[in-house]
Amino acid sequence: MGANNGKQCGSEGKGSSSISSDVSSSTDHTPTQAQKNVATSEDSDLSMRTLSTPSPALICPPSLIPTAFQNGRGSSTSSSSITGETVALVHSPPPSARLLPPPTLSGLGPRGCPEPPGIERLPDPCLVRIFSFLPTNQLCRCARVGRRWYHLAWDPRLWRTIRLAGDTVHVDRALRVLTRRLCQDTPNVCLLLEAVVLSGCRRLTDRGLYTIAQCCPELRRLEVAGCYNVSNEAIFDVVSLCPNLEHLDVSGCSKVTCISLTREASIKLSPLHGKQISIRYLDMTDCFVLEDEGLHTIAAHCTQLTHLYLRRCVRLTDEGLRYLVIYCGALRELSVSDCRCVSDFGLREIAKLEGRLRYLSIAHCGRVTDVGLRYVAKYCAKLRYLNARGCEGITDHGLEYLAKSCAKLKSLDIGKCPLVSDAGLECLALNCFNLKRLSLKSCESISGQGLQVVAANCFDLQMLNVQDCDVSVEALRFVKRHCRRCVIEHTNPAFC
């Protein structure tokens, strides 16, 4: 809270307490003319000192706005009942005790003072701790309960994250009002705000991201998944003006084709500007228009990437993966699921990441065969997770290479690989003793014999998927006896 606000609220609090004591001492509860004059003058002072305090209307549909505001008894920036649009309300701090009805004898404490509700007896640190678990919209509602809650709800420690969601939210306006309020102590800058989560806010536009970029230089996390109105220009502004940004989720943003600095920032930082973007986690799932050239730009500017998810980026090819290996040598997790143009040549490039790679998803990459899997198994010995579901070219030979080279494998999905049989499972069980999750869904060549070998050697197995597999009830019971913590997903009605 700024210094000015503190003085204003302090003066208002003193006036409120004096009026409250006068009311409680009166027998007939009828205010005198002097009290009316004081109340009238104080009302005018409050009306002159209205604050831009975000209200629940920022994140609630018009139907949930309090009736007082819809009937014109509150100050509003626009008429939400007419337009049907979620709006921001501008209101004064909550009313003081002088506006409350006088306490009855049953509500008096031992000294004749009104006894507060149970939650009001909690000290400020406890209330702040409770508020820390609330989302942004609920926190704004708490600020409207009373003066004490108003000050506690705007404790800077509670505003390290802004989290909004919903199709009816006017996100651009909400961000503008919230950042303006959070910038009161440090004009035009929100130094404490570190994370903004707006996933699913379809009304978010570039204008809202411009607000974040200009006011939040310490931003570290931004999630705008499913916000399809966001374009490259807004993302460029965010990564250029927020140098500490590490986590960026733009999945489902179909207009985003690459991640780069703005031209002005590139000129200032040239020739080393490529190392200035500190993003480590990037999710571009369902960015359908992403191509190899865009991935080249991303790799050249985001050299510190450790987690990259490119699921269903259908225009990517093996050439784009080559750029990743050249610039992003620190990659630990990579997903190219449903990138149907990726083949064994792409896996050969991925294998150059060697021991740094821990997670790899190549699900439904139909051009991948044992050749590509052998490259990965040979050079990525520290691989812990592999999803190769739907890679129908993988056979027992590829599984054998994987089992012998990646002995620390913990999770494997080879569902819908019809050429994998019990022989491959046996080799897997005899080498990967730490296996915890195994999916064999729709593997037509798998039988109960292979499952029994797995259960006899992989005691830590926690999840087994054998749906649509020809497996007997006896084999499933054998697995359950040897792997007691294992959850078995199956389609055999005789086993329960």
Side-chain angles (χ1 to χ4, degrees):
M1 299 295 296
N4 295 333
N5 294 340
K7 293 179 180 179
Q8 293 172 2
C9 294
S11 63
E12 293 165 3
K14 292 179 181 178
S16 302
S17 60
S18 62
I19 296 176
S20 176
S21 62
D22 293 340
V23 172
S24 61
S25 61
S26 177
T27 56
D28 56 357
H29 306 298
T30 303
T32 63
Q33 184 62 34
Q35 291 172 340
K36 291 181 179 179
N37 294 337
V38 172
T40 304
S41 63
E42 193 168 79
D43 286 338
S44 63
D45 291 340
L46 284 175
S47 63
M48 294 297 292
R49 292 195 297 266
T50 56
L51 300 178
S52 279
T53 306
S55 78
L58 284 173
I59 38 261
C60 293
S63 59
L64 297 181
I65 298 177
T67 308
F69 288 93
Q70 292 184 356
N71 293 339
R73 294 196 294 270
S75 175
S76 172
T77 56
S78 64
S79 176
S80 60
S81 61
I82 296 176
T83 61
E85 183 182 76
T86 304
V87 295
L89 296 179
V90 179
H91 59 81
S92 62
S96 59
R98 62 180 174 80
L99 299 180
L100 299 176
T104 60
L105 292 178
S106 60
L108 295 179
R111 297 184 179 180
C113 299
E115 191 169 344
I119 194 170
E120 288 293 345
R121 301 176 189 175
L122 295 177
D124 289 353
C126 290
L127 281 178
V128 171
R129 177 63 175 170
I130 293 173
F131 288 170
S132 67
F133 295 98
L134 299 178
T136 301
N137 61 333
Q138 297 296 336
L139 202 54
C140 289
R141 288 177 177 175
C142 289
R144 296 170 56 83
V145 171
R147 287 186 181 278
R148 182 190 178 204
W149 282 36
Y150 176 85
H151 294 296
L152 294 178
W154 286 108
D155 189 304
R157 293 170 294 180
L158 299 176
W159 291 94
R160 298 184 184 276
T161 300
I162 290 179
R163 190 181 302 270
L164 300 174
D167 294 341
T168 62
V169 182
H170 197 306
V171 189
D172 295 345
R173 188 179 301 178
L175 290 174
R176 185 169 64 251
V177 175
L178 286 172
T179 52
R180 184 185 304 165
R181 176 60 182 78
L182 295 174
C183 290
Q184 285 189 354
D185 293 337
T186 52
N188 301 324
V189 178
C190 302
L191 294 178
L192 293 177
L193 190 59
E194 296 181 352
V196 177
V197 180
L198 307 172
S199 298
C201 295
R202 299 182 180 181
R203 298 182 66 179
L204 177 69
T205 66
D206 289 349
R207 186 175 300 177
L209 288 188
Y210 291 150
T211 301
I212 295 175
Q214 294 170 0
C215 299
C216 309
E218 298 299 323
L219 192 68
R220 295 181 179 274
R221 183 187 186 100
L222 176 63
E223 296 184 16
V224 290
C227 302
Y228 50 74
N229 290 318
V230 172
S231 66
N232 282 343
E233 289 71 19
I235 298 296
F236 291 177
D237 279 337
V238 171
V239 299
S240 299
L241 298 177
C242 304
N244 297 322
L245 188 66
E246 296 180 348
H247 182 113
L248 179 60
D249 184 353
V250 292
S251 56
C253 299
S254 54
K255 295 182 181 179
V256 177
T257 60
C258 66
I259 308 294
S260 175
L261 294 170
T262 60
R263 181 175 300 179
E264 295 78 8
S266 298
I267 294 175
K268 292 179 182 179
L269 299 174
S270 181
L272 299 177
H273 66 276
K275 298 182 180 180
Q276 298 302 316
I277 298 182
S278 56
I279 294 178
R280 300 177 182 274
Y281 178 105
L282 178 60
D283 190 345
M284 297 192 69
T285 299
D286 293 322
C287 291
F288 306 113
V289 294
L290 178 64
E291 297 181 347
D292 291 340
E293 191 58 36
L295 189 57
H296 185 188
T297 303
I298 293 172
H301 286 79
C302 306
T303 57
Q304 300 181 41
L305 276 175
T306 58
H307 298 68
L308 179 60
Y309 305 95
L310 304 170
R311 305 179 188 93
R312 292 181 291 279
C313 295
V314 294
R315 300 187 182 183
L316 293 181
T317 67
D318 298 333
E319 183 68 14
L321 299 181
R322 187 175 69 86
Y323 296 135
L324 283 180
V325 177
I326 294 174
Y327 295 102
C328 305
L331 270 178
R332 295 171 57 88
E333 295 192 11
L334 175 63
S335 175
V336 289
S337 298
D338 293 283
C339 297
R340 303 184 184 278
C341 295
V342 173
S343 67
D344 293 334
F345 294 103
L347 289 192
R348 183 179 64 180
E349 298 296 329
I350 292 175
K352 295 178 182 179
L353 294 171
E354 298 180 345
R356 296 177 292 275
L357 192 65
R358 298 289 193 275
Y359 172 107
L360 178 62
S361 179
I362 52 175
H364 303 289
C365 293
R367 300 185 181 185
V368 171
T369 66
D370 289 341
V371 176
L373 193 59
R374 184 173 184 176
Y375 279 118
V376 173
K378 181 177 181 180
Y379 295 102
C380 303
K382 295 183 179 180
L383 195 67
R384 300 289 189 274
Y385 175 99
L386 176 64
N387 184 356
R389 174 177 293 195
C391 297
E392 298 181 355
I394 293 179
T395 68
D396 290 336
H397 295 293
L399 198 56
E400 182 180 356
Y401 296 138
L402 181 69
K404 291 182 177 180
S405 301
C406 302
K408 296 183 178 180
L409 197 66
K410 293 184 177 181
S411 179
L412 177 64
D413 188 342
I414 48 176
K416 298 183 179 180
C417 295
L419 300 181
V420 173
S421 67
D422 291 339
L425 275 189
E426 182 177 350
C427 187
L428 180 69
L430 295 177
N431 291 276
C432 301
F433 304 108
N434 296 321
L435 199 64
K436 296 181 181 298
R437 302 176 65 88
L438 178 62
S439 178
L440 306 169
K441 182 178 180 180
S442 301
C443 288
E444 303 170 356
S445 302
I446 295 294
S447 69
Q449 181 180 353
L451 287 186
Q452 291 179 1
V453 177
V454 171
N457 292 274
C458 304
F459 301 107
D460 293 332
L461 197 64
Q462 298 176 3
M463 194 284 292
L464 175 65
N465 188 339
V466 288
Q467 293 177 337
D468 301 319
C469 295
D470 187 14
V471 180
S472 64
V473 176
E474 290 73 18
L476 294 177
R477 290 174 179 170
F478 184 90
V479 174
K480 197 62 179 179
R481 283 197 303 270
H482 288 74
C483 306
R484 296 185 178 275
R485 295 186 299 172
C486 182
V487 177
I488 303 177
E489 299 179 11
H490 62 91
T491 52
N492 192 331
F495 176 78
C496 58

